[in-house]
Amino acid sequence: MNAPDDPNAAPELFTWEFAADPYPAYAWLREHAPVHRTKLPSGVEAWLVTRYADARQALADQRLSKNPAHHDEPAHAKGKTGIPGERKAELMTHLLNIDPPDHTRLRRLVSKAFTPRRVAEFGSRVQELTDRLIDDFAAKGSADLIHEFAFPLPIYAICDMLGVPREDQDDFRDWAGMMIRHGGGPRGGVARSVKKMRGYLAELIHRKREALGEGDDDDLISGLIRASDHGEHLTENEAAAMAFILLFAGFETTVNLIGNGVYALLRNPGQRARLQESLAAGERDLLETGLEELLRYDGPVELATWRFATEPLTLGGERIEAGDPVLVVLAAADRDPARFDEPDTLDLARRDNQHLGYGHGIHYCLGAPLARLEGQTALATLLTRLPDLRLAGNPDDLRWRGGLIMRGLRTLPVEFTSYAN
């Protein structure tokens, strides 16, 4: 997409052309209207924050609440803000919708079950899943990396962490697939999937509560049930909402992280070659800095989730009224030339890289360690096992999923030298 010829005219946002390449439009907004009020495709009017300094301030500003009660209630009830169907499914009490002190209490409880140690111990399972998925298509010489790899990997991984039995995980894959397929289309399918997921989680939590102490219960849902803080336990609704948001927020972000990351490497062969040489030498430093750079360069979350002003405030020179929705555009902030040198250049060795891909402040992504583990494992294994991986077809034919918050490809067709396992 090109920015408009008239420098005084704002670019058109949220079109299919914009979805393919939003960065020129975001560059225009950063320069001319860094805090910009616009009407979203849903009809809701919101402020878009595009400069890094303003974005970082907004993400940590406690006057910007995560609780949709501070916005027009009918708008949320109609599914125009937030996750479709979460209200009717009684899944509102999760970390993306609440403020302190409830946020502090619930995050502390969840953190006890979602520790770095648990993630590190999970590394062998992520590697096993990664290898199994590649095994399934290695002999074909071609694959759609979204549907055959980037999508199933985080679904099965987060299901294992939550403690969803293996025989039920394909149901979760179907529900999650509905969420992705309807990213820019009818929201009813998403709401139906949310309702099914809620019913299943309620039943699973009940079964696990009754079975606590009787066997292998070292999973995340069992941990949520056991978690307590000064005598306070999670209610069943809170536990279901927390399990739901960890699944919902934990799978599509990783789908997009892997898909966008592989696509960026395929479009930047010099950087990809550097990474492959580093991996062949048994080094991990470039893999680690490289994943952070891919998050900055074309990350999985385009806009941070909804915030609502609880009182009038000034942001980027604009007056935000109480009740106004504010959306921080992470994709724009992470390419701000005032913060990053040559921001439109992919540099896997970039060191000064305090990107906002995982957020900032008290809502910093709880699942960041798992996303890093999955992303690094997926990229390293793909580039090692399929060294001549290449895009199949014309990049202009690729389509990005519609939607407001996430940024990801619908498909990513690739070719490579086939081999038998």
Side-chain angles (χ1 to χ4, degrees):
M1 170 182 176
N2 295 320
D5 294 331
D6 179 359
N8 296 314
E12 189 175 3
L13 306 176
F14 309 119
T15 63
W16 289 112
E17 186 184 16
F18 167 85
D21 183 11
Y23 296 103
Y26 288 149
W28 188 96
L29 289 176
R30 277 196 310 266
E31 182 177 354
H32 298 282
V35 179
H36 176 65
R37 188 173 177 88
T38 189
K39 181 175 285 189
L40 305 174
S42 64
V44 174
E45 290 195 356
W47 294 94
L48 302 181
V49 181
T50 54
R51 286 181 181 168
Y52 183 91
D54 295 333
R56 190 174 168 89
Q57 174 191 334
L59 290 172
D61 195 324
Q62 294 191 15
R63 297 171 297 177
L64 293 175
S65 168
K66 298 293 292 175
N67 188 340
H70 292 290
H71 187 226
D72 175 34
E73 193 75 10
H76 190 86
K78 292 176 182 176
K80 293 184 177 181
T81 65
I83 300 169
E86 64 180 351
R87 179 185 294 275
K88 287 184 179 179
E90 297 183 324
L91 291 170
M92 292 291 293
T93 52
H94 57 69
L95 292 176
L96 296 185
N97 280 344
I98 55 176
D99 304 315
D102 286 338
H103 178 273
T104 308
R105 176 180 67 90
L106 290 181
R107 185 166 177 123
R108 187 183 301 125
L109 288 170
V110 175
S111 295
K112 292 180 179 179
F114 203 74
T115 62
R117 176 190 62 82
R118 183 186 297 273
V119 172
E121 291 173 350
F122 200 56
S124 60
R125 175 58 178 158
V126 172
Q127 185 66 63
E128 176 189 333
L129 285 168
T130 300
D131 283 322
R132 190 190 80 197
L133 291 169
I134 295 176
D135 289 344
D136 288 343
F137 59 74
K140 293 193 305 178
S142 65
D144 173 2
L145 276 190
I146 300 299
H147 293 282
E148 296 180 67
F149 184 71
F151 173 69
L153 174 60
I155 280 291
Y156 292 137
I158 196 67
C159 280
D160 279 355
M161 285 200 80
L162 286 170
V164 176
R166 299 281 171 88
E167 62 269 22
D168 296 341
Q169 291 185 6
D170 283 337
D171 287 336
F172 268 79
R173 180 174 177 168
D174 290 342
W175 298 330
M178 179 65 71
M179 294 177 186
I180 282 189
R181 284 194 297 275
H182 287 266
R187 293 163 69 88
V190 180
R192 285 192 294 273
S193 294
V194 169
K195 183 178 180 181
K196 290 177 182 177
M197 205 176 281
R198 172 65 172 91
Y200 176 84
L201 286 171
E203 178 187 346
L204 184 62
I205 288 169
H206 179 72
R207 293 204 314 261
K208 286 184 176 292
R209 178 172 279 124
E210 290 192 331
L212 278 182
E214 295 181 3
D216 182 15
D217 57 7
D218 188 31
D219 59 77
L220 189 52
I221 288 180
S222 297
L224 291 174
I225 294 168
R226 285 193 301 266
S228 64
D229 179 39
H230 303 296
E232 286 189 283
H233 292 264
L234 287 165
T235 67
E236 184 169 303
N237 268 358
E238 287 173 338
M242 294 307 304
F244 164 74
I245 202 59
L246 289 171
L247 177 73
F248 189 92
F251 89 88
E252 189 172 1
T253 51
T254 307
V255 175
N256 296 346
L257 171 59
I258 296 170
N260 297 5
V262 172
Y263 181 58
L265 291 173
L266 294 178
R267 299 299 301 276
N268 291 267
Q271 292 292 307
R272 175 252 191 94
R274 287 182 63 192
L275 181 54
Q276 285 181 300
E277 290 169 6
S278 173
L279 292 170
E283 300 166 356
R284 289 193 59 86
D285 187 63
L286 192 63
L287 176 65
E288 292 172 0
T289 60
L291 187 76
E292 301 308 308
E293 173 68 348
L294 292 168
L295 276 159
R296 183 203 67 81
Y297 179 77
D298 197 10
V301 183
E302 190 166 342
L303 281 72
T305 49
W306 294 82
R307 284 166 168 77
F308 308 95
T310 59
E311 61 183 77
L313 63 120
T314 300
L315 186 61
E318 297 288 348
R319 179 177 171 84
I320 313 294
E321 298 295 344
D324 281 359
V326 174
L327 291 165
V328 177
V329 187
L330 304 178
D334 279 343
R335 289 210 189 186
D336 188 345
R339 176 60 186 83
F340 300 99
D341 292 334
E342 299 186 32
D344 295 322
T345 298
L346 182 69
D347 178 7
L348 299 183
R350 190 185 295 270
R351 292 285 180 182
D352 182 15
N353 193 5
Q354 292 185 337
H355 64 77
L356 300 176
Y358 289 127
H360 173 65
I362 64 170
H363 291 282
Y364 184 84
C365 177
L366 190 66
L370 178 60
R372 287 189 170 104
L373 170 67
E374 291 175 336
Q376 291 177 15
T377 303
L379 291 176
T381 309
L382 275 174
L383 294 177
T384 300
R385 292 190 58 182
L386 309 175
D388 63 346
L389 187 73
R390 57 195 178 273
L391 191 64
N394 189 332
D396 293 337
D397 293 334
L398 294 177
R399 293 292 176 264
W400 297 79
R401 288 193 300 275
L404 191 64
I405 302 299
M406 300 293 185
R407 173 165 172 77
L409 288 162
R410 291 175 178 267
T411 61
L412 183 56
V414 294
E415 297 173 337
F416 47 86
T417 300
S418 62
Y419 66 92
N421 301 310

